[in-house]
Amino acid sequence: TFAQPMDSPVPDGAEVAQVATGFQFTEGPVWKDGALLFRDIPANTVYAYTDADGATPYLHPSGNSNGLALDAEGRLLLAQHGYRQLARLDAPHVQTTLADTYGEMQINSPNDIAVHSDGSVFFTDPPYGVGQADPQLGFSGFYHLAPDGTLTLLDMALHRPNGIALSLDEQTRYVTNSET
């Protein structure tokens, strides 16, 4: 079944405009403190965009961050390919590791993040950022990180779990599989 359609957040008559260039590979922005945060994964930088300042570095190095999200307290969460961890930015240049191992093995390459209103964090973990290093786990995972820090593997059947979203009622999790 499908939820009732929502009104578009894009105003009628809005036009798409390119506001910045010169990046290698960007995706998945998030709004924080009046700025649009986005990452350039190969450049190892999270940028902040405002109309007044354009795109300026917000966090460098960023651990080759991919997924960005905000937790319930408005802190930035980062899925960091390079550091092979899910982290939280607690203050400028102060990062807290939230998850970097499953069991006793290093996770692969956290990719995308969805945050539940109860404080839980869901994230995907394909091997995209592992490079030539052998993934220690031998599988790609989809995880739940509870508010108490408990990490639970929810699925290991997807070959390349990538994007993730929660339904409006937060009862359904959607995960894309980028490669079969």
Side-chain angles (χ1 to χ4, degrees):
T1 64
F2 294 96
Q4 289 184 317
M6 294 180 51
D7 291 333
S8 173
V10 179
D12 289 339
E15 294 183 24
V16 175
Q18 186 173 11
V19 296
T21 62
F23 306 103
Q24 298 174 59
F25 185 85
T26 64
E27 64 173 273
V30 65
W31 288 102
K32 180 172 174 48
D33 301 327
L36 181 68
L37 302 183
F38 66 96
R39 68 264 184 205
D40 187 341
I41 301 165
N44 201 16
T45 303
V46 173
Y47 290 92
Y49 176 85
T50 64
D51 286 336
D53 298 324
T56 58
Y58 183 82
L59 178 65
H60 180 83
S62 71
N64 302 99
S65 295
N66 189 350
L68 302 177
L70 300 179
D71 71 6
E73 295 178 38
R75 297 173 296 191
L76 185 65
L77 302 179
L78 306 110
Q80 297 177 312
H81 284 327
Y83 300 151
R84 296 177 72 171
Q85 69 179 6
L86 179 67
R88 182 182 63 229
L89 190 63
D90 289 317
H93 306 289
V94 177
Q95 297 179 35
T96 300
T97 299
L98 301 178
D100 63 354
T101 57
Y102 177 71
E104 303 218 358
M105 297 187 185
Q106 190 172 23
I107 58 178
N108 297 316
S109 181
N111 193 73
D112 282 320
I113 307 167
V115 179
H116 193 281
S117 62
D118 70 3
S120 295
V121 178
F122 297 91
F123 69 96
T124 56
D125 187 40
Y128 293 131
V130 176
Q132 297 299 319
D134 291 332
Q136 292 182 14
L137 292 173
F139 62 86
S140 295
F142 165 50
Y143 294 91
H144 171 256
L145 181 65
D148 69 1
T150 302
L151 183 64
T152 303
L153 175 65
L154 298 177
D155 191 288
M156 59 187 262
L158 297 174
H159 189 223
R160 295 285 191 269
N162 195 334
I164 181 172
L166 299 175
S167 61
L168 292 176
D169 66 3
E170 298 183 311
Q171 298 302 305
T172 304
R173 298 172 294 264
Y174 300 96
V175 180
T176 60
N177 191 23
S178 294
E179 188 178 303
T180 55

